[in-house]
Structure formats: structure tokens, C-alpha cells
Amino acid sequence: MIKVAVSGCFGRMGSAVIDAVSAADDMEVACGIDPFPKEGTSFTVYSSMEEAVAAGGFDVVVDFTQPSVIEGNLRCALPAGIDCVVGTTGLSDEKLTELAALAPSGTCLFYAPNFTTGAVLMMEFAKAAAPYFPEAEVIEMHHCNKKDAPSGTAMRTAQIISDARGGRASKAPGAETELPGVEGARGALVSGVPVHSVRSMGFVASQEVVFGSMGQTLTIRHDSWDRASYMPGVLLGIRSVGAREGLIVGLENFMHEA
């Protein structure tokens, strides 16, 4: 049995992870970590990562917390040799590399900008299309309580598009066309790709990648309407990290092996 600690266990995603791990027959919830405890849980809940690591008793920590706390959590868990499955976005590639270097040999830091198989395939399709279109834009739409913008998925998608076309920036007009007083209308430029963020009630997580060339457009869209859509990817990450080490970014690394 894989013993799992869930950081942010009372949040929306954390609660879904608790249910998914509890329902799996090859893993169990060893403890939860949340600064806002609730009564009536069937597992021990610690108020901080430091307390949980000191108590021990788990193999993997799954983190769905907030950008403001994830770095501190990883600085505590990784040096202790605990494999980490991270869905909290907001960390740069440079920071992830720095944090992964804190871990002893045999420890894995797995970071997924998105845990849904559909979103991973969307990025794979975007990678395949990118070399053939001179223009590309990413539009991501999330619920109004999301703490970061752009989303980690949008950032990752823009990087993948840029890499696939050799770092070439979009040929569409950019910030130079924005009217005075409304700067930002053309979105944020991520690796040369404009990225736009929508925050509104009615969404969980959606993203469109719009490619354009002479006389045609190609739109690739993924919608997640329920947080249950993330759980197969989370469980795959939990099952996979024990046999890996170092920094691994993207669920596709494990999907290709499944």
C-alpha cells in the first residue's frame, strides 16, 4: 500500500484527492495537512508540513495548496526524501529545478500543470500543430477563486508551442497596438505567445488554443467541468513517482508509460 499525505486536504481539490485515494485499492490516506482543521476525519490532520514530516508515516505527499505556500512545503518535504506530487501552480521552471536539487537520490518531484488526460492531449495536439501556423494564442478560463493567472496549463502550453516552432514569436500585432489606458488588451506574452485569462463563475477549467494562418484557423479546446476529471492523473502520479527520481514536469511522461 502506498501511504499518501494530502496537503490542502480540506480545499476543493484536496477533498477530491482524499476521496480518490480512499477509493483506490493500492493506496491509503496516511494523513492530511491543512492549517484550518475540521472535526470528524478518519485520518490525522497536521497544521503544517513541518509537523507532518516530523511525524512521518507516509511515502508520497500530494500538494494542492496555494502559490504562496507551495515552495515552503517542498523545501520541507523534499530534503526528507519524500516523493512529491504537485498540482499547485505558480512555480517557475527555475524554482522547480532549485527545489528538486534539495532532495536526496531516489526522490522524485513531479509537477503537473494539469492532471486531466484531455488537457495533456490538448497540449500534445498544439505541439503538433505549432510549426504549421505563424500565429497562436492561448485563452484560458477558470473559476473566479483561482489564485494565479495565467494558469500553469496556459503557461506550459505557450512554452510547448514556442519550443515546437523554434522559439519564433507570434506574427500577430502585439502590445504596440494597445490603446493608452487599456494596456494588457493583447494579453501576456509567454514565450512569444499571447495568453489571455478569464475568471468567472460557471467555469472549473477550460482552455482554447487558437492557431491562425492565411485563410484558416485551427482551434483546440478542452473543458473540465468536474474536479473528478483530475483524479485519474493524480493517482497515476502517485503510483509512478516511487520508481522515478529528480524533477519530472508534465503528466505525459507517465501517460506514455502507462
Side-chain angles (χ1 to χ4, degrees), residues 41-243:
T41 60
S42 59
F43 50 87
T44 302
V45 179
Y46 300 99
S47 61
S48 69
M49 184 67 72
E50 289 79 6
E51 289 183 13
V53 169
F58 55 92
D59 309 303
V60 180
V61 60
V62 179
D63 192 291
F64 281 98
T65 54
Q66 297 185 18
S68 60
V69 300
I70 177 60
E71 180 178 349
N73 285 348
L74 294 179
R75 286 190 179 279
C76 178
L78 287 169
I82 299 169
D83 293 325
C84 296
V85 175
V86 178
T88 307
T89 56
L91 293 176
S92 66
D93 291 344
E94 293 76 16
K95 182 60 67 175
L96 288 168
T97 300
E98 175 192 334
L99 293 169
L102 301 175
S105 177
T107 305
C108 181
L109 168 56
F110 171 52
Y111 168 77
N114 198 299
F115 278 96
T116 62
T117 52
V120 172
L121 290 171
M122 171 191 62
M123 289 185 274
E124 295 279 292
F125 299 155
K127 178 180 179 180
Y132 302 98
F133 291 86
E135 297 168 2
E137 310 221 0
V138 178
I139 307 166
E140 56 97 347
M141 296 145 278
H142 281 77
H143 57 90
C144 56
N145 293 318
K146 185 169 175 57
K147 302 295 185 183
D148 57 324
S151 70
T153 302
M155 298 274 284
R156 177 70 171 162
T157 304
Q159 291 165 357
I160 287 172
I161 292 170
S162 177
D163 291 344
R165 57 187 189 182
R168 186 178 73 249
S170 176
K171 293 184 178 180
E176 72 278 2
T177 66
E178 294 170 348
L179 297 175
V182 286
E183 290 79 8
R186 288 293 292 119
L189 208 59
V190 180
S191 300
V193 178
V195 176
H196 311 265
S197 297
V198 176
R199 296 291 177 267
S200 173
M201 291 185 290
F203 290 107
V204 174
S206 298
Q207 180 171 291
E208 288 186 1
V209 185
V210 183
F211 290 102
S213 68
M214 184 78 68
Q216 65 172 330
T217 60
L218 170 65
T219 300
I220 306 169
R221 180 178 174 118
H222 175 258
D223 296 288
S224 177
W225 302 116
D226 193 299
R227 289 176 177 84
S229 64
Y230 294 86
M231 294 307 110
V234 172
L235 297 182
L236 177 59
I238 293 170
R239 293 182 177 116
S240 301
V241 290

